[in-house]
Amino acid sequence: MGTARVGVLALQGAFAAHAEVLSRLGADVREVRVPADLDKVGALVMPGGESTTMSQLLESSGLFDALGDRLVHGFPVFGTCAGMILLARSVIGGRPDQRSFGAIDISVERNAYGRQVDSFEAELDVAGLNDPFPAVFIRAPRICDLGPAVETLALHEGSPVLVRQGAIIAASFHPELTGDGRLHALFLESL
Amino acid sequence: MFSMTESTQRNTGTFGVKRGLAEMLKGGVIMDVVTAEQARIAEDAGACAVMALERVPADIRKDGGVARMSDPEMIESIQKVVSIPVMAKARIGHFVEAQILEALGVDFIDESEVLTPADEAHHIDKYRFSVPFVCGATNLGEALRRISEGAAMIRSKGEAGTGNVVEAVRHLRSILGDIRKITQADSAELFQWAKNLQAPLPLVQELAETGRFPVPIFCAGGLATPADAALAMQLGAEAVFVGSGIFKSDEPARRAKAIVEATTHFRDPHILAKVSRGLGAPMTGIGMDEIAVKYAERGW
């Protein structure tokens, strides 16, 4: 799947790091900032960053509705950290006006692991990967509840941290920060 | 059937997690706030982080005297009302102020020239902390010296509290221009670059080899309008700090939101035109020949 045209939501956050990993894997990567950008891509990566900021920019750009429509029809998305929060069914500790897509049947709690001094790195065993995956958790959200359709691909301290439902993959950590492209490759292979 | 081994490891305070938070702030606006109420307005407007301080740089400039770390009570009142990262400033070289800010659970420390320096020869040894640091720089040499001390993010110094973007532009152009030149230099020239920049040779060599600066570079110091933010982004900054520019303007909430939009859509003049409309008066601003103290000259 070397020539998949993949968008990276570039409203705010670590979009450049995702774009770099995807390009290295041979994907044709486009930054997505307005609804017209979505028409040019067949899949999307939603990066980490501040979910409150992204939620507002999704709204003002018109991307919230445009992306929401696609998600209903099985549009493939890989969401990390804030991206996972935006994909979730419900968000604990968000702002009252914060919207999420409800594209994956999980409930997440924002900043559940603490402040920045509690941010950490850990090696994870991931379903389908032979060797541990280096994960970086930055003021990470925790998945506190998940529905029967959601498959857990990795656990950390008893909590699911990498999950999949249909065409959606979501991670509470940052696979784009370590230079290890295996999870991005997993996403590209699923397209 | 996949049998999952569950990880229980937690390595905190690594350079990876420090730099990681800087990555998460990219494409965003970090706003100076002096009260919990302003912090709420900033978060409502889409700030990706707030900088908690007692006086914005424009007032520090006006009041004179010694500017120090903020009262912990004030910082805590801001931490309570927002869910986005909270940053705070320590004086250059004042590692005890930094220890206090770390104990408060501040997410990022700005070792800042806007405060009165506490040490005229040494910056803080930032490797001794779990919390990440951002430092200002006017040129590439200064930026690399801060990296060698452990900074996880560099921002242009600009000239804080002036509402005048000219110095920020100068500093950004200097830093990013020299990075471009170094990536073209041959191995023998790198020794000369390290000498001229007064920067550690290994960092200069790494820069030449990878073609990229080791940590994110943000813009700060004098930004006052959505166009200023987009200018910084088009010049190559990866995010912006706006200090006095928001809460010293007529309509802080609208201006804050407009600057957030401009930072995201920095390459789209039509969106920039739309968000720049009817924002009320920006902060007045001052020319470089009118100021008594250049904050950018603080730090070494």
Side-chain angles (χ1 to χ4, degrees), chain B:
Chain B
M1 181 65 194
F2 167 67
S3 74
M4 208 160 333
T5 324
E6 134 189 358
S7 168
T8 52
Q9 187 188 13
R10 281 198 192 198
N11 297 324
T12 56
T14 63
F15 196 72
V17 300
K18 292 178 179 178
R19 189 187 184 288
L21 182 56
E23 285 289 330
M24 295 313 131
L25 299 172
K26 280 185 177 178
V29 184
I30 300 150
M31 301 183 191
D32 277 6
V33 295
V34 301
T35 62
E37 180 53 28
Q38 288 187 357
R40 243 190 235 112
I41 293 171
E43 190 182 61
D44 286 348
C48 67
V50 290
M51 176 76 70
L53 72 178
E54 265 162 5
R55 292 175 291 171
V56 292
D59 288 331
I60 293 173
R61 204 174 271 289
K62 202 167 64 193
D63 298 349
V66 175
R68 311 176 178 91
M69 175 190 81
S70 296
D71 186 326
E73 209 169 78
M74 178 270 170
I75 294 170
E76 281 169 347
S77 74
I78 287 172
Q79 287 174 318
K80 274 198 199 96
V81 300
V82 295
S83 63
I84 54 179
V86 175
M87 301 188 171
K89 291 182 194 287
R91 283 179 265 178
I92 290 173
H94 206 315
F95 51 85
V96 175
E97 285 188 348
Q99 289 164 7
I100 293 169
L101 293 175
E102 182 173 61
L104 291 173
V106 157
D107 295 297
F108 231 107
I109 295 176
D110 184 2
E111 186 182 17
S112 177
E113 70 284 358
V114 170
L115 304 184
T116 311
D119 189 322
E120 295 194 326
H122 309 92
H123 281 253
I124 297 170
D125 175 0
K126 294 165 270 288
Y127 282 112
R128 297 178 67 122
F129 291 81
S130 295
V131 61
F133 280 75
V134 51
C135 290
T138 59
N139 58 55
L140 184 57
E142 205 176 352
L144 291 171
R145 290 196 292 280
R146 299 294 84 80
I147 303 285
S148 71
E149 298 154 1
M153 180 203 295
I154 293 295
R155 55 170 175 77
S156 64
K157 283 182 175 170
E159 200 49 50
T162 62
N164 188 338
V165 78
V166 67
E167 294 299 300
V169 168
R170 183 201 314 282
H171 301 157
L172 262 186
R173 279 200 181 277
S174 171
I175 294 167
L176 298 170
D178 278 352
I179 291 173
R180 285 189 284 267
K181 286 179 208 153
I182 283 177
T183 57
Q184 302 297 315
D186 74 19
S187 59
E189 288 166 339
L190 296 179
F191 296 100
Q192 189 67 14
W193 269 107
K195 193 177 110 185
N196 290 344
L197 290 172
Q198 297 180 274
L201 178 64
L203 285 179
V204 173
Q205 288 170 326
E206 186 195 316
L207 192 56
E209 201 173 307
T210 62
R212 67 167 53 200
F213 198 70
V215 304
I217 299 178
F218 290 9
C219 183
L223 278 63
T225 68
D228 287 349
L231 174 67
M233 295 296 287
Q234 285 198 29
L235 283 170
E238 297 175 291
V240 299
F241 287 80
V242 184
S244 322
I246 289 171
F247 289 100
K248 284 288 166 190
S249 74
D250 273 6
E251 291 190 55
R254 290 187 64 190
R255 181 165 296 268
K257 188 156 182 29
I259 293 176
V260 169
E261 295 284 338
T263 303
T264 292
H265 301 286
F266 67 96
R267 278 197 216 95
D268 188 331
H270 296 289
I271 294 181
L272 296 176
K274 194 173 115 195
V275 304
S276 299
R277 278 169 207 273
L279 298 179
M283 70 178 286
T284 310
I286 37 182
M288 287 310 122
D289 48 359
E290 298 168 66
I291 59 176
V293 182
K294 272 200 161 184
Y295 294 153
E297 287 166 5
R298 295 169 166 175
W300 12 91

